[in-house]
Amino acid sequence: MEGKNEQRAGLLYGIGAYVMWGLVPLFWPLLKPSGAIEILAHRMVWSLGVVTIALLAVRRWAWIGELVRDRRKLALISVAAATITVNWGLYIWAVNNGQVVEASLGYFINPLVTIAMGVLLLGERLRPVQWVAVATGLAAVLVLAIGYGRPPWISLVLAFSFATYGLVKKKVNMGGLESLAAETAVLFVPALGFLLWLAATGKSTFTAGGTGHGFLLAATGIVTAIPLICFGAAAVRVPLSTLGLLQYLAPIFQFGLGVVYFKESMPPERWAGFALVWLALSLLTWDALRTARRNRALAVKLLATAAAAPATATPTPEGAATLPSDAAPPGGTTTPAPEAATTTGTEAPNPAQQKIT
């Protein structure tokens, strides 16, 4: 019963996180007349403050010393900080310049871009259905390019920057709060320096826009951290496959806001392009669920076989060395447990290592 309650709570946390990320386009226009770069700088500065308070509450500081001593991980964190800066900044600009629908497309095609990067950069192999999904996604981009009269640059930059961010985060292998704290710490000095320069030149809107406007700019830290905290609570309570399905909630809400609330135009060719994207994602999701079911069935079969095996051990000749039960035989390796084994093809993007704007 307790396990079911935990899963139910995790599902609610996950839904809450993705719904908040999906509704965030309603927040950025409230910060006008601040420009996208000023909003971005405030987001970096205030996010570090909020995340620091959260880390104080949970008393997680041991990772800082390990990170400082690991130059490779520091370099990767810097790359992650640079890519998320591009992603955040362009997303804020797109929302405040009437491009919410195109921005949502970037997060729809992100799983496809992530898979393509896995093939090109990591040499991963795809299952046939994944190839069909990627090809369908490419066709969708071509259709949308015709519809827009140009390539959907906003969508492509958002998708590739976010996929790069996810790839780097996978290699860094840090928790969400710790990673965000490290990334915003890297960005804190340049962001604060930019805000101080704006204030010195009289271009800052932090105080010029009034107290309410200043509070809204400061709230960018809360808007960034709260969904991430909810997501972290969900990630330890529900299966990864569930989070993989929930991740589509954010672009669905963003798309709906763009069409219904912001009244952005959707000519037939754009609908056709989005329909192809949704078809590709449906294929991808179906293939992932089918593979997960096969893996579970294989795990159950292996467990049943192991349970039926004789309990008696083979006698060891006197004087012969024995191997620990988890050791690999000479010249070979142990077989991974079914739940840890990878299937042929690229893994589905891990939402736990990503963060949607």
Side-chain angles (χ1 to χ4, degrees):
M1 185 66 182
E2 185 178 348
K4 290 184 178 180
N5 289 336
E6 282 289 297
Q7 283 202 352
R8 188 179 297 112
L11 184 63
L12 293 175
Y13 279 125
I15 292 173
Y18 282 110
V19 168
M20 283 187 279
W21 279 324
L23 296 179
V24 78
L26 296 173
F27 178 72
W28 303 127
L30 300 177
L31 304 181
K32 294 179 179 180
S34 299
I37 298 179
E38 182 179 3
I39 296 172
L40 176 63
H42 275 286
R43 187 178 190 182
M44 294 171 180
V45 170
W46 295 108
S47 292
L48 180 59
V50 173
V51 173
T52 299
I53 294 173
L55 288 172
L56 279 172
V58 296
R59 298 181 179 180
R60 293 212 299 256
W61 297 106
W63 59 273
I64 296 178
E66 298 174 3
L67 178 61
V68 171
R69 291 189 295 270
D70 192 334
R71 293 185 179 181
R72 178 180 175 275
K73 188 171 284 190
L74 273 176
L76 289 173
I77 284 290
S78 299
V79 173
T83 55
I84 203 61
T85 296
V86 173
N87 188 274
W88 282 0
L90 180 59
Y91 184 80
I92 294 169
W93 179 89
V95 170
N96 284 354
N97 284 272
Q99 301 293 334
V100 177
V101 169
E102 189 174 348
S104 73
L105 175 64
Y107 294 106
F108 274 125
I109 66 175
N110 174 68
L112 300 172
V113 172
T114 300
I115 287 176
M117 289 180 67
V119 173
L120 296 174
L121 300 180
L122 304 179
E124 295 176 343
R125 292 181 298 168
L126 299 186
R127 295 182 290 272
V129 176
Q130 291 176 314
W131 277 115
V132 174
V134 171
T136 304
L138 179 60
V141 172
L142 294 176
V143 170
L144 288 165
I146 295 172
Y148 280 105
R150 58 171 176 79
W153 293 117
I154 294 173
S155 305
L156 292 174
V157 173
L158 286 175
F160 275 94
S161 61
F162 199 59
T164 303
Y165 177 71
L167 179 64
V168 174
K169 293 263 284 186
K170 184 176 182 179
K171 292 183 177 297
V172 170
N173 193 26
M174 291 176 61
L177 276 177
E178 292 88 342
S179 180
L180 181 59
E183 293 156 20
T184 50
V186 169
L187 300 169
F188 179 81
V189 173
L192 183 61
F194 177 74
L195 293 176
L196 292 175
W197 176 80
L198 286 179
T201 56
K203 297 179 182 179
S204 173
T205 63
F206 182 65
T207 55
T211 304
H213 184 72
F215 275 120
L216 284 174
L217 285 172
T220 55
I222 299 174
V223 169
T224 300
I226 295 300
L228 181 66
I229 293 171
C230 289
F231 179 83
V236 297
R237 289 175 171 86
V238 298
L240 185 61
S241 58
T242 302
L243 289 177
L245 294 175
L246 290 178
Q247 71 175 317
Y248 297 123
L249 284 176
I252 288 172
F253 273 93
Q254 293 164 8
F255 176 80
L257 286 174
V259 174
V260 177
Y261 182 79
F262 293 103
K263 308 293 184 184
E264 294 183 16
S265 62
M266 281 292 292
E269 55 270 23
R270 290 188 191 175
W271 280 112
F274 269 88
L276 285 173
V277 170
W278 295 332
L279 173 61
L281 293 177
S282 298
L283 290 171
L284 205 61
T285 302
W286 172 77
D287 181 68
L289 293 175
R290 182 185 63 168
T291 302
R293 283 197 297 269
R294 286 180 177 177
N295 289 343
R296 283 197 296 269
L298 177 61
V300 170
K301 185 176 180 180
L302 290 176
L303 288 173
T305 303
T312 58
T314 303
T316 303
E318 185 177 354
T322 58
L323 287 172
S325 59
D326 60 346
T333 58
T334 54
T335 303
E339 44 277 291
T342 56
T343 58
T344 302
T346 302
E347 294 181 9
N350 187 345
Q353 293 165 334
Q354 299 180 344
K355 174 168 58 62
I356 298 179
T357 55

